[in-house]
Amino acid sequence: MCVVLVWGTNFVAMKLGLRELTPFQLGAGRYLFAFLPLALFVRPPRLPARWVLLYGLFQGVGQFGLLFLALRAGMSAALAPVMLQMQVFFTALLGYVLLGERVGRPLQAAMAIAALGLACFCADFFGRGSEVTVIGLVLTVASGAMWGASNIVVRRIRDIAPDFNVLSFMVWSSLVAVPPFVLLSLVFDPPGTRWDWRGLSPTGWASLAYLGWFATILGYAMWTGLLKRHPANRVAPFSLAVPPVGIAAGMLALGDRVTPWQWAGIVLVVLSLALVVFGPRWQLRLRGPGAPL
């Protein structure tokens, strides 16, 4: 429940942070906060460096770099947590291709329903009143793909080091994301916006602290701990409870509006996620314990 609340509300913190920082600055700040001061007390994980690097790049630069760009480009804080749950399907597909994890019929049906949900979001762009842009939607889906890739990295780490220290892994993989974000900021951010931290308001500092310490270290340490013990395509759907919290937080805190087409898409995406979570159980009850999924 703690992870759901933190992740559901952290989209509001992202939007608030982006009022004062560029996406790349917010990324660097988020992971700098996640790295410090815990790195002073936590030793580096006893893992091959390539896995720490891959996770930091996929989960840090990939997932949140794209998500911050999406939020700046026109994705709302209410809709982002729904679209980001496409990670469930990317996790399942990558798990099937790279790890040999089975894609059962409930998951196949859920993907078809999620595709209808995406169609509703696309249809929304032909109507009026939508505050979400096409590029914002595309970047958010791409962010979900990066989240799925980071889930697979954790599954591979679990295979070679089942007892790896989750907190140490999260802290030191956060360091991986800082230099790329700094370089991206130096290359793409306008000179007048670069790193004047003196003008950052208390709200900006609070956003960085919340994103670094709570959303990253607390949230992803607990998430990664689950991935250590269970198959990736079984853990990923338990983020199902995040979208309702995110929608409520975006509407209440930021005044985000959700159009009828978007509501239809939200319902279909959440239904597809519920099918992933509960579908195998329902199928077993209908066919009996020995029936293949």
Side-chain angles (χ1 to χ4, degrees):
M1 187 63 179
C2 179
V3 177
V4 169
L5 291 174
V6 169
W7 279 357
T9 55
N10 91 126
F11 294 91
V12 173
M14 294 177 200
K15 276 286 193 179
L16 293 175
L18 287 169
R19 290 178 179 176
E20 303 181 44
L21 297 167
T22 69
F24 299 135
Q25 291 171 357
L26 186 62
R30 172 185 182 133
Y31 286 98
L32 187 60
F33 268 73
F35 180 66
L36 294 173
L38 287 175
L40 301 176
F41 309 99
V42 178
R43 294 180 178 180
R46 296 180 178 179
L47 290 169
R50 66 179 181 277
W51 297 115
V52 180
L53 289 170
L54 281 174
Y55 186 83
L57 292 174
F58 282 134
Q59 192 265 351
V61 183
Q63 179 184 342
F64 284 100
L66 290 170
L67 181 58
F68 293 160
L69 287 171
L71 291 169
R72 174 61 67 88
M75 173 56 63
S76 70
L79 190 56
V82 180
M83 298 309 303
L84 199 58
Q85 296 315 308
M86 290 295 156
Q87 60 90 10
V88 173
F89 307 108
F90 288 112
T91 298
L93 289 172
L94 291 171
Y96 172 76
V97 173
L98 300 175
L99 304 181
E101 294 181 354
R102 186 168 185 175
V103 180
R105 292 180 181 176
L107 183 56
Q108 296 173 22
M111 289 180 177
I113 295 174
L116 291 176
L118 278 176
C120 289
F121 292 123
C122 292
D124 183 63
F125 296 122
F126 296 97
R128 295 180 178 179
S130 176
E131 299 175 354
V132 176
T133 63
V134 174
I135 187 63
L137 182 69
V138 172
L139 287 170
T140 307
V141 174
S143 173
M146 292 295 101
W147 188 356
S150 72
N151 288 339
I152 299 304
V153 171
V154 173
R155 300 295 293 138
R156 292 292 296 151
I157 294 172
R158 192 194 73 167
D159 293 339
I160 63 174
D163 298 322
F164 75 97
N165 187 293
V166 174
L167 179 60
S168 173
F169 176 71
M170 289 306 307
V171 169
W172 286 89
S173 65
S174 295
L175 177 61
V176 174
V178 176
F181 274 127
V182 171
L183 289 174
L184 287 167
S185 177
L186 291 174
V187 172
F188 293 106
D189 289 342
T193 66
R194 290 177 185 167
W195 307 104
D196 186 7
W197 296 91
R198 295 170 299 176
L200 201 60
S201 71
T203 299
W205 286 110
S207 297
L208 288 174
Y210 188 82
L211 293 172
W213 294 336
F214 290 92
T216 302
I217 295 300
L218 177 62
Y220 278 90
M222 297 179 69
W223 176 264
T224 304
L226 289 173
L227 287 170
K228 280 179 61 178
R229 300 187 295 273
H230 305 286
N233 60 1
R234 288 290 179 262
V235 174
F238 283 93
S239 54
L240 175 64
V242 173
V245 176
I247 293 168
M251 296 177 71
L252 293 174
L254 301 176
D256 288 344
R257 293 189 304 107
V258 182
T259 68
W261 274 115
Q262 290 173 357
W263 277 120
I266 288 169
V267 169
L268 287 169
V269 170
V270 173
L271 177 61
S272 69
L273 295 172
L275 183 59
V276 175
V277 176
F278 302 110
R281 300 179 188 177
W282 295 336
Q283 194 172 33
L284 280 175
R285 289 181 182 178
L286 290 173
R287 297 190 176 185
L293 294 180

